[in-house]
């Protein structure tokens, strides 16, 4: 296996995973940001996947997706409202969690784990904006490592 | 905004009543056809939501000030003057229950442009202190920070860095001589940064130069929504100044309906001169690229999907065919809603309604029409081209337990771009 140290290698490795593995990895990415949200629906979705090694039945996934979708709608910023980047971080964590449990037809992209990865990175960026940090997010580097560890254990 | 008073509100009415408004009031035949075109009326059955009725205080003011009969009635105490209590009562009708969608203007048998009149009435409502708090906040932030949501340049730059990192394509700022100046809505910066990724990918593939402007990245125009022309003019002026300084050929309005109306149709009139650049909606630009063979896609979306036309694009801008050309490039099962295109039903949240918390219950009630349209089609995906419509559609679908993903068309095209050779 070639080293995962850029997004091309990262995406290619994610593309090579089956659906259950993608969900598991997506949940591992999202777990990194769970401390940024108090929303029980989001936490429950990620924890269910992690407890079950990403292998949840369709009914469970549908139920989790339904409740995480509600969490997304509840946390988005309404048009014209004053920006709150801390709240916005929660919104993107919810979007990452949704990628973990969404069905293929609900998903915007075939690669569930990539979608979760991007949402997690955006969430981290929102956190940096909220804290007025000039730093760029290093979430991608952490994700490369998480994926490498996952592949090694698989 | 300066202190609002009834006197200022009535003065604003007097300034806003021009020849078209007078002609429209004179020619109304009270047929009620505008009611059947308004989703706030059709979905509630409440006759107060009849579009022409929403204008009643301004109509009476016109009659009392500018017609002989009205003046006599006022003199004899047969017609009561417009007062603060009445304008306060009318706030719900002028702001909460009107999205400026323009469907009523399309059906009026005598050609009255009711939206034109509602927008003029909003000028008086804002000047008299009867605009909703949500819109006042957004307009104030737009003037002081450049964004109705208070999004700072540092936040945009952080999002741009994030996008660059994800897609490996630069997001340029302040590039003099770029072909396109891309505007964004704060909604896209905050809720849908994938729009910026999509634009970067598409222009990269098409080999087109583009830029954002540090001092004018915001497209939305709260002045148009609240009804304060001075604010609208100031916000358009910032974009014009940036576009001219950067010497761009085309300014691109993003996936936002009223932003397009503001910059493209109202803009030159607000500035009192023609622009030195073109203004196009992003869908118009994408369709031009398609037409020139510069938009190359691969693969198709198999899901059965439909397109929600943003009102400002179809009824004010005539952008009807472009999204359909684009959808046919990337979708195998595109189906149309009844009344699609020019007469499409509004999502229920445009024209500042979504920024107005007081209107939340009503806008979700208004969504029932869209719900019916979607149920009739049994689609798996809904596509649109306005971030504000998108939020309302997501909210309405969720409220009604309808599990249909909502996508932006620009993003959908970008997802299917062919690899650059």
């Amino acid at each position: 296996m070639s080293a995962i140290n850029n997004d091309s290698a990262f995406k290619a490795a994610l593309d090579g995973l089956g659906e259950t593995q993608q969900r598991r990895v997506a949940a591992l990415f999202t777990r990194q940001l769970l401390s940024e949200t108090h929303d029980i629906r989001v936490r429950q979705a990620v924890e269910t996947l992690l407890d079950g090694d990403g292998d949840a039945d369709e009914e469970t996934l549908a139920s989790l997706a339904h409740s995480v979708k509600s969490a997304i709608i509840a946390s988005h910023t309404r048009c014209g409202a004053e920006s709150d980047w801390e709240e916005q971080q929660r919104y993107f964590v919810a979007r990452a969690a949704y990628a973990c449990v969404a069905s293929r037809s609900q998903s915007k992209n075939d690669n569930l784990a990539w979608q979760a990865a991007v949402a997690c990175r955006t969430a981290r960026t929102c956190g940096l904006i909220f804290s007025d940090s000039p730093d760029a997010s290093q979430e991608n580097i952490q994700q490369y490592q998480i994926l490498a560890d996952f592949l090694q254990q698989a | 905004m300066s202190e609002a008073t009834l006197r200022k509100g009535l003065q604003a009415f007097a300034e806003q009543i021009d020849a078209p408004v007078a002609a429209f009031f004179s020619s109304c035949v009270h047929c009620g056809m505008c009611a059947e075109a308004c989703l706030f009326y059709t979905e509630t059955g409440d006759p107060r939501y009849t579009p022409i009725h929403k204008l009643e205080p301004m109509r009476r003011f016109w009659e009392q000030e500018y017609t002989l009969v009205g003046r006599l009635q006022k003199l004899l105490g047969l017609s009561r003057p417009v007062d603060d209590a009445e304008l306060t009562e009318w706030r719900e009708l002028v702001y909460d229950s009107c999205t400026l969608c323009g469907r009523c203007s399309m059906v009026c048998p005598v050609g009255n442009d009711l939206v034109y009149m509602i927008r003029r009435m909003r000028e008086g409502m804002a000047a008299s202190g009867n605009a909703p708090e949500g819109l006042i906040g957004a307009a104030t932030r737009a003037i002081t920070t450049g964004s109705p949501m208070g999004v700072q340049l540092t936040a945009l730059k952080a999002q741009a860095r994030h996008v660059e990192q994800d897609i490996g394509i630069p997001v340029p700022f302040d590039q003099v001589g770029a072909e396109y100046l891309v505007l964004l809505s704060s909604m896209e910066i905050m809720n849908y940064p994938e729009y910026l990724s999509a634009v970067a990918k598409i222009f990269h593939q098409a080999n087109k130069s583009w830029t954002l402007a540090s001092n004018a990245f915001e497209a939305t125009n709260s002045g148009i929504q609240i009804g304060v022309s001075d604010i609208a003019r100031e916000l358009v002026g910032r974009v014009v100044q940036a576009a001219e300084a950067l010497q761009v050929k085309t300014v691109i309005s993003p996936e936002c309906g009223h932003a397009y109306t503001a910059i493209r149709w109202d803009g030159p009139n607000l500035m009192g001169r023609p622009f030195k650049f073109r203004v196009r909606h992003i869908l118009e630009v994408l369709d031009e690229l398609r037409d020139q063979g510069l938009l190359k896609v691969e693969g198709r979306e198999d899901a059965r999907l439909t397109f929600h036309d943003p009102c400002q694009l179809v009824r004010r801008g005539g952008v009807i065919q472009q999204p359909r050309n684009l959808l046919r490039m990337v979708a195998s099962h595109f189906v149309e809603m009844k009344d699609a295109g020019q007469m499409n039903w509004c999502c229920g949240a445009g024209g500042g309604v979504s920024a107005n918390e007081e209107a939340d219950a009503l806008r979700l009630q208004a969504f029932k029409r869209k719900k019916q349209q979607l149920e009739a089609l049994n689609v798996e995906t809904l596509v649109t081209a306005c971030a504000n419509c998108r939020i309302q559609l997501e909210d309405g679908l969720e409220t009604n337990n309808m599990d249909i993903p909502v996508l932006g068309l620009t993003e959908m095209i970008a997802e299917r771009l062919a690899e650059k050779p």
Side-chain angles (χ1 to χ4, degrees), chain A residues 64-109:
Chain A
L64 292 170
H66 183 72
S67 57
V68 176
K69 189 78 174 282
S70 303
I72 293 174
I73 302 296
S75 57
H76 73 227
T77 303
R78 66 187 297 139
C79 182
E82 185 157 20
S83 52
D84 177 344
W85 290 99
E86 190 179 27
E87 185 61 31
Q88 204 59 14
Q89 185 174 35
R90 294 184 192 119
Y91 166 75
F92 281 106
V93 177
R95 276 180 56 172
Y98 187 71
C100 300
V101 292
S103 66
R104 289 286 177 194
S105 64
Q106 291 164 326
S107 178
K108 291 179 188 173
N109 181 298

Side-chain angles (χ1 to χ4, degrees), chain A residues 15 20 22 40 91 94 98 105 131 140 153:
Chain A
D15 280 338
T20 304
Q22 284 208 7
I40 189 74
Y91 166 75
Y98 187 71
S105 64
S131 58
N140 57 333
Q153 288 164 17

Side-chain angles (χ1 to χ4, degrees), chain A residues 7 11 65-67 69-73 75-85 88 91-92 95 98 103 105-110 114 117-123 125-126 128-129 132-141 144, chain B residues 134 137-138 141 148-152 154-156 158-159 161-162 165-167 187 189-194 220 225 258 301 353-358 360 363 380-381 388 390-391 394-395 398 401-407 411 415-416:
Chain A
D7 269 348
K11 267 188 206 171
H66 183 72
S67 57
K69 189 78 174 282
S70 303
I72 293 174
I73 302 296
S75 57
H76 73 227
T77 303
R78 66 187 297 139
C79 182
E82 185 157 20
S83 52
D84 177 344
W85 290 99
Q88 204 59 14
Y91 166 75
F92 281 106
R95 276 180 56 172
Y98 187 71
S103 66
S105 64
Q106 291 164 326
S107 178
K108 291 179 188 173
N109 181 298
D110 287 341
W114 171 248
V118 171
C120 287
R121 294 176 190 184
T122 314
T125 301
C126 292
L128 292 170
I129 295 171
D132 250 346
S133 167
D135 301 334
S137 164
Q138 298 296 307
E139 199 64 23
N140 57 333
I141 311 290
Y144 298 159
Chain B
R141 281 188 292 276
M149 296 164 79
V151 173
Q152 308 276 352
T154 49
L156 171 60
Q159 289 287 47
R161 269 201 309 275
H162 162 76
Q165 198 180 50
D166 278 347
I167 62 174
M187 286 281 280
I189 300 168
M190 295 204 66
N191 289 323
Y192 305 115
E194 49 268 45
T220 55
Q225 294 176 326
H258 88 273
E301 173 63 56
V353 168
S354 60
N356 172 11
E357 287 185 42
E358 294 165 22
D360 278 356
R363 75 173 163 79
E380 297 160 281
T381 299
N388 188 52
R390 190 168 169 182
I391 285 279
E394 287 179 347
D395 204 354
E398 163 67 16
N401 282 317
M402 295 170 76
D403 190 13
I404 303 175
V406 186
L407 299 178
E411 183 191 328
E415 281 285 324
R416 281 158 189 80

Side-chain angles (χ1 to χ4, degrees), chain B residues 175-180 209 211 245-249:
Chain B
Q175 300 290 308
V176 177
E179 184 165 353
Y180 298 106
S209 61
T211 188
L246 294 170
Q247 298 164 36
V248 297
K249 292 194 182 86

Side-chain angles (χ1 to χ4, degrees), chain B residues 231-247:
Chain B
I231 293 178
R233 186 176 302 109
E234 165 67 22
L235 298 176
V236 167
R238 291 175 187 175
V239 173
V240 172
Q241 202 174 8
E244 290 180 352
L246 294 170
Q247 298 164 36

